[in-house]
């Protein structure tokens, strides 16, 4: 038993939860069976037996396992392990250990993957991600020209919900490029449930057994009062929304990217979104010739972001004066050491730093003034 075994265990469980949700949407009358989920469960039960737990006897099947574990914070999954087993594997240092529940109960025996589940899965290797909506969309848009790539991606970020007329109009605009049109259409799904437009992220918010749910638990944690004006009428069948994984991985982080671009536009600086086919998120060119490359990240868990950066080999190399990983400023309100955790693994890249959006804007403004004074 080792740490790598446990990493794969939780990656398979996270992928299985998302697969089950996708299968349930495709065939709502059939039980959504996921091989990845069962594989992950079997691995966790085997690890529990090694650690002296009776979980394999008490929760041997998928239903009992989900009922007991999936709505609990991950660290609680190890409550019945023998003392010292968690320490022996150094699990407290793993990103999955710090996460809250991987799913919440929507109604009856229906569970919905949480934003923590999506965030953790995004830190995993591509072979684990294969088959998920976000990975399929990425494989589609990465084949497009730079112009079409930016066009489709920006539309997705700015339009979490569209009408049938919107869908037809955009499809018509992309008619000359079937691959771009296919990528755009794949990103959306028809809204079939009664729901509200989320006042936080503008996606959909549905009521379940334990309140309202969105693509991010942060939306429900900071939910203002819902009004009738926010309610979406899906009875006519003419409303579409981004698939949850697409909203989580493309649209949500993309808002941060567009905010950076808008700030550069206000400062009358030269900038570009997703240059070199998304090698970076935002490129800024200053009057003195310096280039800054920006990679925006929307990970609420700093350990998860640290793991993702380490798996990717740090900040992409290139001919730039400064490189920045940028996170939303509010992420540091309750985690003041967030950027310090990331910067410790960036110490070998002297011109690279993790900062908040507020800090980045301050740095851009100072650089612009310095250029104008020369």
């Amino acid at each position: 038993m080792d740490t790598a075994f446990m990493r794969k265990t939780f990656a398979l469980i996270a992928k299985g939860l998302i697969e089950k949700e996708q299968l349930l949407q495709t065939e709502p009358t059939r039980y959504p069976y996921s091989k990845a989920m069962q594989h992950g469960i079997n691995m966790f039960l085997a690890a529990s037996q090694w650690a002296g737990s009776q979980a394999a006897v008490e929760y041997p099947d998928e239903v009992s396992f989900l009922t007991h574990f999936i709505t609990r914070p991950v660290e609680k999954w190890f409550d019945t392990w023998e003392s010292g087993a968690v320490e022996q594997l150094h699990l407290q240092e793993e990103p999955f250990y710090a996460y809250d529940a991987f799913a919440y109960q929507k109604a009856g025996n229906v569970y919905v993957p949480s934003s923590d589940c999506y965030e953790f899965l995004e830190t995993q290797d591509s072979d684990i991600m294969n088959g998920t909506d976000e990975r399929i969309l990425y494989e589609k848009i990465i084949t497009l020209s730079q112009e079409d790539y930016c066009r489709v991606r920006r539309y997705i970020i700015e339009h979490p919900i569209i009408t049938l007329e919107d869908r037809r109009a955009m499809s018509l605009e992309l008619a000359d490029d079937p691959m771009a049109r296919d990528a755009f259409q794949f990103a959306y799904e028809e809204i079939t449930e009664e729901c509200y437009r989320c006042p936080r992220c503008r996606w959909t918010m549905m009521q379940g057994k334990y309140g309202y749910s969105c693509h991010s638990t942060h939306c429900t944690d900071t939910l203002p009062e819902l009004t009738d004006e926010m309610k979406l009428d899906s009875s006519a069948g003419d409303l579409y929304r981004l698939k949850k994984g697409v909203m989580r991985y493309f649209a949500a982080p993309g808002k941060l990217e567009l905010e950076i671009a808008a700030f550069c536009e206000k400062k009358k600086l030269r900038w570009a979104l997703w240059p070199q086919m998304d090698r970076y998120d935002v490129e800024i060119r200053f009057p003195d010739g310096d280039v800054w490359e920006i990679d925006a990240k929307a990970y609420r868990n700093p350990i998860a972001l640290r793991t993702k950066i380490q798996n990717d080999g740090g900040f992409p190399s290139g001919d730039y004066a400064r490189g920045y990983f940028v996170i939303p400023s509010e992420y540091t309100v309750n985690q003041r050491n967030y950027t310090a955790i990331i910067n410790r693994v960036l110490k070998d890249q002297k011109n690279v730093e993790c900062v908040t959006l507020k800090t980045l804007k301050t740095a851009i403004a100072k650089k612009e003034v310095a250029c104008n004074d020369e």
Side-chain angles (χ1 to χ4, degrees):
M1 189 59 56
D2 57 19
T3 306
F5 183 92
M6 297 307 300
R7 289 175 189 157
K8 185 173 182 180
T9 296
F10 279 90
L12 287 168
I13 290 173
K15 180 180 181 180
L17 283 167
I18 293 170
E19 280 185 347
K20 286 168 72 68
E21 183 181 45
Q22 293 171 345
L23 290 169
L24 188 62
Q25 291 175 348
T26 304
E27 299 183 81
T29 59
R30 295 183 60 183
Y31 183 80
Y33 179 77
S34 165
K35 291 183 179 180
M37 167 66 76
Q38 193 59 59
H39 189 183
I41 289 174
N42 291 343
M43 291 177 70
F44 182 81
L45 295 178
S48 297
Q49 187 171 8
W50 168 84
S53 170
Q54 294 299 305
V57 176
E58 297 173 354
Y59 314 106
D61 59 272
E62 183 178 293
V63 173
S64 63
F65 183 90
L66 291 175
T67 301
H68 180 74
F69 287 102
I70 215 66
T71 59
R72 306 175 71 197
V74 170
E75 65 175 300
K76 298 295 185 183
W77 294 29
F78 303 97
D79 281 353
T80 60
W81 283 32
E82 287 182 352
S83 176
V86 171
E87 288 78 7
Q88 181 179 336
L89 296 178
H90 304 288
L91 297 185
Q92 301 98 324
E93 301 173 13
E94 293 298 309
F96 59 75
Y97 192 83
Y99 277 112
D100 205 343
F102 269 14
Y104 49 89
Q105 193 171 12
K106 182 179 177 182
N109 64 345
V110 178
Y111 294 85
V112 179
S114 68
S115 54
D116 280 27
C117 178
Y118 275 88
E119 182 173 294
F120 169 68
L121 186 61
E122 208 269 335
T123 68
Q124 303 307 297
D125 296 334
S126 59
D127 61 332
I128 292 291
M129 294 289 287
N130 284 342
T132 58
D133 286 335
E134 52 275 18
R135 185 67 187 180
I136 293 172
L137 176 61
Y138 177 78
E139 291 170 351
K140 287 177 180 292
I141 67 172
I142 201 65
T143 63
L144 304 180
S145 67
Q146 180 72 26
E147 180 181 356
D148 283 341
Y149 177 94
C150 292
R151 187 180 185 185
V152 172
R153 185 156 188 168
R154 183 156 193 161
Y155 188 95
I156 286 172
I157 294 169
E158 295 177 335
H159 299 86
I161 298 175
I162 60 174
T163 65
L164 178 59
E165 287 304 312
D166 294 331
R167 188 172 188 269
R168 287 172 176 168
M170 188 60 174
S171 296
L172 186 60
E173 287 185 29
L174 298 172
D176 292 337
D177 189 339
M179 295 178 69
R181 182 182 59 196
D182 177 56
F184 158 70
Q185 292 180 345
F186 176 82
Y188 290 88
E189 64 185 7
E190 186 178 350
I191 299 177
T192 57
E193 299 178 89
E194 193 173 283
C195 56
Y196 288 82
R197 185 186 294 272
C198 177
R200 292 295 184 193
C201 69
R202 313 304 294 166
W203 196 60
T204 53
M205 182 167 280
M206 291 165 289
Q207 189 168 20
K209 184 176 181 180
Y210 297 102
Y212 288 92
S213 64
C214 190
H215 82 94
S216 170
T217 50
H218 176 68
C219 294
T220 55
D221 290 343
T222 57
L223 183 65
E225 183 178 352
L226 299 179
T227 64
D228 289 340
E229 289 75 21
M230 299 176 190
K231 201 166 197 176
L232 297 170
D233 182 8
S234 60
S235 60
D238 62 351
L239 288 177
Y240 293 79
R241 66 176 180 180
L242 292 174
K243 294 174 180 176
K244 180 184 276 190
V246 176
M247 180 65 194
R248 175 67 187 84
Y249 291 127
F250 285 82
K255 295 180 186 302
L256 182 58
E257 297 157 5
L258 295 186
E259 187 170 351
I260 296 169
F263 184 78
C264 293
E265 181 74 18
K266 181 180 179 181
K267 293 292 182 181
K268 295 182 171 54
L269 297 171
R270 292 172 59 196
W271 57 271
L273 283 167
W274 312 298
Q276 303 175 50
M277 294 303 293
D278 201 23
R279 184 172 176 80
Y280 311 101
D281 291 330
V282 185
E283 180 178 274
I284 308 171
R285 292 185 175 273
F286 291 94
D288 64 357
D290 277 0
V291 175
W292 288 7
E293 301 291 4
I294 315 296
D295 194 352
K297 297 296 186 184
Y299 290 76
R300 292 188 174 276
N301 184 334
I303 305 302
L305 178 54
R306 184 184 69 185
T307 301
K308 176 63 174 172
I309 290 172
Q310 290 174 318
N311 289 345
D312 291 345
F315 199 85
S317 59
D319 186 17
Y320 50 79
R322 298 290 305 171
Y324 290 98
F325 287 111
V326 180
I327 62 167
S329 301
E330 63 267 23
Y331 285 12
T332 61
V333 172
N334 297 318
Q335 300 180 95
R336 296 188 180 277
N337 65 335
Y338 189 120
T339 56
I341 290 173
I342 307 304
N343 285 323
R344 280 196 287 270
V345 301
L346 298 174
K347 59 185 178 181
D348 293 332
Q349 291 185 281
K350 301 302 182 183
N351 61 335
V352 175
E353 185 181 3
C354 176
V355 299
T356 64
L357 177 60
K358 180 180 179 180
T359 299
L360 177 69
K361 287 182 175 180
T362 299
I364 291 173
K366 287 182 178 179
K367 176 69 173 176
E368 182 225 1
V369 170
C371 288
N372 291 335
D373 288 343
E374 290 179 356

